[in-house]
Amino acid sequence: MRPRLSTSILDYLFPEKCLSCGRQKTLLCQECLEGLPAPLRPLPLYIDALLDYQNSTARKIIWYIKYKNAMSLIKTVGMKMHEKLSTHLSTDDRYILIPIPIRKNRLRNRGYNQAEELAKTIRDSDKLMSFILVTNVLYIKRLAENQSDIKDRKARLENLKGFYGVKNKALIKNKKIILIDDVTTTGATINEARNLLLRSGAASVRALTVAH
């Protein structure tokens, strides 16, 4: 069995480079992050997103966040998500962060849920302690076809009916919920989760994703 190279050696041999400008030392420099376009396509009022998924760098960011275990990038983007939330939300309120869950086989293969890692960064970036991370409420109840394989919005909505379940309802009763995910396309996933949480007693449910 070959010995594994340490992270520090790998970083020296293959230093990180910005996905946009190519500079070393970081997967996404602050200058490039600030220059990325916001979504152009319309979204429901209860969904917001940082980046336009049609942008090539935004698509690279999603790929690295989702499949490459890029925790430094997740932290950079998560801090930007916190900044956006802090700008638009009342500092006097408390909000429950609920990451969109992923299938168990994906969690096993990747070793992490990218939405949960983003939510952790949002929580940890908040000095006012306005955000509480809750991961034991929304769960996947049944198997369904992969949403990425379905292009039609109506078919996506139908595919997700009954997909999620809610437990520990007391944790969200009369609470303000913010769903966190990496990307939204048609909004079907967010919509299904939102409606279920509202029926389960949440006072309000909105969502923030990295890209749309």
Side-chain angles (χ1 to χ4, degrees):
M1 186 176 184
R2 294 180 180 179
R4 296 182 63 181
L5 292 174
S6 69
T7 302
S8 58
I9 294 175
L10 287 172
D11 289 343
Y12 176 78
L13 293 175
F14 307 102
E16 289 184 343
K17 293 182 180 181
C18 176
L19 296 172
S20 182
C21 69
R23 295 173 189 162
Q24 295 186 6
K25 302 301 184 183
T26 179
L27 279 174
L28 185 64
C29 66
Q30 196 65 32
E31 183 179 351
C32 289
L33 174 58
E34 297 295 339
L36 290 173
L40 297 176
R41 292 171 296 155
L43 277 166
L45 292 176
Y46 55 85
I47 304 178
D48 204 352
L50 286 180
L51 309 175
D52 185 359
Y53 191 62
Q54 303 303 312
N55 178 270
S56 60
T57 299
R59 290 197 297 273
K60 289 179 186 176
I61 290 169
I62 295 300
W63 178 263
Y64 270 74
I65 285 175
K66 194 184 290 280
Y67 301 113
K68 294 294 186 179
N69 194 21
M71 291 300 162
S72 64
L73 181 58
I74 285 175
K75 184 175 181 180
T76 298
V77 174
M79 290 173 67
K80 189 65 177 177
M81 294 175 81
H82 171 262
E83 181 183 316
K84 188 174 185 68
L85 287 173
S86 299
T87 302
H88 293 88
L89 299 178
S90 170
T91 56
D92 296 328
D93 286 331
R94 295 293 179 267
Y95 302 90
I96 303 292
L97 299 175
I98 296 184
I100 295 293
I102 62 175
R103 302 167 195 263
K104 289 182 179 179
N105 62 326
R106 290 182 178 177
L107 185 59
R108 283 194 300 269
N109 292 336
R110 296 177 195 172
Y112 67 102
N113 174 359
Q114 66 277 6
E116 183 174 339
E117 296 303 323
L118 288 165
K120 286 178 182 177
T121 299
I122 294 170
R123 177 200 61 190
D124 295 343
S125 300
D126 188 61
K127 295 180 181 179
L128 297 176
M129 300 179 67
S130 299
F131 302 108
I132 302 168
L133 175 61
V134 172
T135 59
N136 60 342
V137 169
L138 188 66
Y139 69 97
I140 293 176
K141 189 175 180 180
R142 67 167 181 84
L143 295 178
E145 186 177 350
N146 288 334
Q147 286 292 91
S148 58
D149 296 332
I150 306 172
K151 305 306 179 185
D152 180 69
R153 186 176 190 275
K154 185 176 180 181
R156 281 182 170 228
L157 290 169
E158 191 66 30
N159 182 57
L160 284 175
K161 284 185 177 179
F163 183 65
Y164 294 114
V166 167
K167 56 186 178 181
N168 301 317
K169 294 181 181 180
L171 295 176
I172 62 168
K173 187 173 178 59
N174 299 322
K175 303 293 186 182
K176 296 180 178 180
I177 310 296
I178 302 175
L179 292 166
I180 301 297
D181 207 0
D182 54 350
V183 63
T184 182
T185 49
T186 64
T189 298
I190 297 295
N191 187 69
E192 179 68 17
R194 177 178 182 267
N195 288 340
L196 179 59
L197 290 167
L198 287 172
R199 292 197 302 270
S200 299
S204 65
V205 183
R206 60 186 301 169
L208 177 63
T209 68
V210 178
H212 166 64

